[in-house]
Amino acid sequence: MNPALQGVITIIVGVGGCIGYFFLSNLVLDKFVFPPVGKHAGRNINRANLVRPWLFLLPAVIALGLYLAYPVVATFWLSLTDRDAGGAFVGAANYVQMMNEPKFWEAIRNNMLWLIVVPAAATAFGLIAAQLTDRIAWGNIAKSLIFMPMAISFVGASVIWKLIYDTRPADQDQIGVLNAIWVGLGGDPQTWLTIPFWNNFFLMVVLIWIQTGFAMVILSAALRGIPEETVEAAIVDGAGPFQIFFKIKVPQIMGTIVVVWTTITLVVLKIFDIVLAMTNGQWGTQVLANYMYDKLFRSFDWGVGSASAMVIMLLVMPILIWNVRTVRKEMR
Amino acid sequence: MDNIAGTKSSLTWAVHISVVLLVALWLFPTVGLLVSSFRTADQIATSGWWSALGTQKRQEPAIRVEGDQVQEGDVYVIHGELFPVADAKVSAWGTSSREPEAYEPGQTVDIGDGDTLTVSESGAYTLTSPESLEGKRLPRIFSTAATPPEFTFANYRNVLFSSTAAAGVGQSFVNTLTVAIPATIIPILVAAFAAYALAWMEFPGRSLLVAAVVALLVVPLQLALIPLLQFHNAIGIGKSYLGVWMAHTGFGLPLAIYLLRNYMVGLPRDIIECAKVDGASDFQIFTKIVLPLSFPALASFAIFQFLWTWNDLLVALVFLGTDDQRLVLTARLVNLLGSRGGQWEILASSAFVSIAVPLIVFFTMQRYLVRGLLAGSVK
């Protein structure tokens, strides 16, 4: 069957199925299971209202449980077993094997670098962009142009930046901007993506370029939410623009800065597409998610692959706990 | 904020310049690829895209004189054009590779055997010889010429419609669309009902469920790959579109529920209580009041989910497979980067085919996107 047709049918079946389920399950509940008539009318209404939330929640709960909660457990179990041995329990063997691979440690080191550099740089650029664009008339246009890379896929962005890092032999014109500038300044053409260690930063630039717009949008809203009196009071006290920015504004939006920082951190922890498309982890640019993909789908080593996925989960854990605690506090 | 006292006007110009620089810096990479996608393979390979916008002065490859000779009086003449198509301006020319810029345009030069050659500024040349040129080896002309910017749609025609070269980009475009649209629509409904229950219905375990949704919001989908692939194989859907749709639905749900619940909680309590007093059931309240009022949040999520599914690589690679007929655009691009890493005309135009749709969505629906971002992260 033509996939497009299949898609249309799926939409109809999916949407129709959802509506049908919600409508019919409500109908059955009200008309047949606990009808609000007869001598138990009041009791039945109460019972129906006890059941109804779960009718509303059921599809979502099943989907969440099956597609997100169960895999965490299953992956943990896979990381403790050996696929070649028919899924036999091997304890921590996969983890030990992973720890002995230099590529794993390279991935850990690079992920840490990414974790430090990208959120910091994107938040800083975003903050600068937000502060500057808020003060000028055409700020909204500027904002949407800086925000634009957000809509571009990581792979598309990788193609865009690969052109910038392109290298031609020394006797030809350079078609990559970076080399054109470098040669213009008197250097020899470099293959930027193969320079050990520094190539990581050339990859990070791509993500910073994408995430700055996100940081800018959120921080700009926060900056606008600052009560004007605090700024005016500072001006009356003789504070300069930089003092106002760093001593009055930034402290007041610290909460938002933390949120932006952690959101970008989550993106960084899962970074995969950019590395796959630009270097595929060669020349010392491996990261955890790509390492995991290598293990799972190229060497078909599910044990080690799942173990590295658990490492990513472990790194996400602090943010997860912090988020849950924040929400629990708000719910009370 | 811009007219409060103390905003020094002397700083204003500095702000303007900084923003111009920042915007230029952020646009530059994308513009580079966009311009490149309209240049011919030759142009991309020999000069930077930034020189494409102005007139380019460069040494052209040698062109051998050709054409039919005509007898004019007692001499034989061949007339021809160096650049029949392009509108180029010759600044210097020569007849040997050692001295490619030996002569001025318009100069008439003796090239031996009594033959003379002249090349005009427009690239028209005239070879004159006292005897017939039939069967004679004709000279080559080296020239340095300034060519005006030249752009072409050929690359796009090539990647989208041709059956050779980068074949498959058109197919991939359809595939991506097939993945993205159902994967955007289906989670919305499921999430909307759940969000309503979490926002407006009282039941034990509600706050626990909200916490669970928030927790699942950050669970890396990397963990789900193998277990779900096993699950899909077990229930017989294997690697298929159905599998991708289900996976995207599952992965998109936490954000959908979270965004929608946050929005629905903020709806005025009076409206809902009044409806309840008037005897409306939860189902009616949801479909008649809450759902229409939540349109902005629904739009926000739809845009997020569409951009995310359109741009996704990992989920498509894993749940749809790497079968050539079913590659999505992002996967196709990764393949092209590997197999045609040097052919920028194909890469650039393919990349823009994949970027175009999200950019259109982005610029037309930016308002909802921003609103969704704010609701999703500032809380």
Side-chain angles (χ1 to χ4, degrees), chain A residues 10 22 67 75 166 209 235 259, chain B residues 5 26 193 223 232 245 344 377:
Chain A
T10 307
F22 287 117
Y67 276 81
T75 299
D166 190 275
W209 178 70
I235 293 168
V259 169
Chain B
W26 247 254
F193 276 94
L223 273 86
H232 282 178
W245 294 326
W344 279 108
S377 44

Side-chain angles (χ1 to χ4, degrees), chain A residues 126-194:
Chain A
L127 192 55
I128 294 169
Q131 169 67 12
L132 291 177
T133 50
D134 270 346
R135 300 169 58 141
I136 53 176
W138 54 285
N140 278 338
I141 299 168
K143 263 196 203 121
S144 85
L145 292 176
I146 296 176
F147 191 31
M148 184 196 69
M150 189 82 188
I152 296 174
S153 62
F154 286 170
V155 180
S158 301
V159 176
I160 289 176
W161 282 86
K162 256 208 151 162
L163 180 61
I164 289 186
Y165 297 143
D166 190 275
T167 313
R168 299 276 137 166
D171 56 341
Q172 291 177 19
D173 276 351
Q174 294 299 325
I175 67 167
V177 177
L178 199 58
N179 265 316
I181 295 171
W182 184 252
V183 170
L185 294 174
D188 287 328
Q190 302 283 326
T191 46
W192 302 104
L193 292 177
T194 61

Side-chain angles (χ1 to χ4, degrees), chain A:
Chain A
M1 188 167 33
N2 187 324
L5 188 67
Q6 202 188 337
V8 173
I9 294 174
T10 307
I11 293 177
I12 295 170
V13 171
V15 173
C18 281
I19 295 174
Y21 160 78
F22 287 117
F23 183 74
L24 288 179
S25 65
N26 263 283
L27 201 71
V28 168
L29 185 69
D30 288 333
K31 287 273 180 311
F32 304 109
V33 184
F34 296 120
V37 287
K39 65 177 175 180
H40 298 307
R43 201 187 68 188
N44 275 358
I45 288 178
N46 286 340
R47 281 187 177 171
N49 284 341
L50 272 181
V51 175
R52 201 182 327 273
W54 297 101
L55 288 183
F56 276 44
L57 282 165
L58 193 65
V61 168
I62 290 176
L64 285 177
L66 189 59
Y67 276 81
L68 284 167
Y70 151 74
V72 175
V73 181
T75 299
F76 182 59
W77 175 248
L78 278 174
S79 76
L80 300 176
T81 58
D82 186 350
R83 190 191 184 193
D84 291 332
F89 182 80
V90 293
N94 290 320
Y95 290 89
V96 173
Q97 191 194 335
M98 182 173 71
M99 301 279 184
N100 286 326
E101 281 188 35
K103 262 294 185 194
F104 170 73
W105 290 108
E106 178 193 313
I108 290 275
R109 181 204 67 179
N110 289 341
N111 254 76
M112 291 303 150
L113 274 180
W114 280 75
L115 277 181
I116 297 166
V117 176
V118 176
T123 312
F125 278 124
L127 192 55
I128 294 169
Q131 169 67 12
L132 291 177
T133 50
D134 270 346
R135 300 169 58 141
I136 53 176
W138 54 285
N140 278 338
I141 299 168
K143 263 196 203 121
S144 85
L145 292 176
I146 296 176
F147 191 31
M148 184 196 69
M150 189 82 188
I152 296 174
S153 62
F154 286 170
V155 180
S158 301
V159 176
I160 289 176
W161 282 86
K162 256 208 151 162
L163 180 61
I164 289 186
Y165 297 143
D166 190 275
T167 313
R168 299 276 137 166
D171 56 341
Q172 291 177 19
D173 276 351
Q174 294 299 325
I175 67 167
V177 177
L178 199 58
N179 265 316
I181 295 171
W182 184 252
V183 170
L185 294 174
D188 287 328
Q190 302 283 326
T191 46
W192 302 104
L193 292 177
T194 61
I195 304 172
F197 189 69
W198 297 108
N199 50 9
N200 283 303
F201 293 91
F202 292 120
L203 298 188
M204 289 178 208
V205 167
V206 182
L207 192 58
I208 295 170
W209 178 70
I210 293 174
Q211 293 292 330
T212 293
F214 161 74
M216 176 196 66
V217 166
I218 308 277
L219 293 172
S220 146
L223 280 176
R224 259 181 267 142
I226 292 176
E228 272 192 32
E229 304 87 72
T230 57
V231 178
E232 276 164 14
I235 293 168
V236 172
D237 288 347
F242 288 97
Q243 277 181 310
I244 292 175
F245 183 64
F246 286 109
K247 299 211 171 135
I248 307 291
K249 288 185 174 174
V250 171
Q252 291 196 64
I253 58 166
M254 215 51 200
T256 313
I257 292 180
V258 170
V259 169
V260 169
W261 194 293
T262 47
T263 309
I264 299 176
T265 301
L266 285 172
V267 176
V268 171
L269 276 172
K270 294 182 262 182
I271 193 65
F272 162 71
D273 316 31
I274 294 177
V275 176
L276 178 77
M278 291 188 85
T279 63
N280 197 6
Q282 300 173 82
W283 309 297
T285 55
Q286 191 63 292
V287 292
L288 273 174
N290 195 48
Y291 174 84
M292 184 212 71
Y293 186 81
D294 259 352
K295 287 291 169 197
L296 287 184
F297 299 105
R298 294 212 187 90
S299 14
F300 300 102
D301 188 342
W302 288 7
V304 175
S306 301
S308 53
M310 288 314 290
V311 173
I312 301 179
M313 184 68 206
L314 197 70
L315 291 172
V316 169
M317 228 36 201
I319 300 177
L320 189 150
I321 293 169
W322 187 72
N323 275 2
V324 169
R325 284 181 62 178
T326 317
V327 169
R328 302 275 297 178
K329 234 182 279 167
E330 274 166 17
M331 294 281 288
R332 240 168 255 143

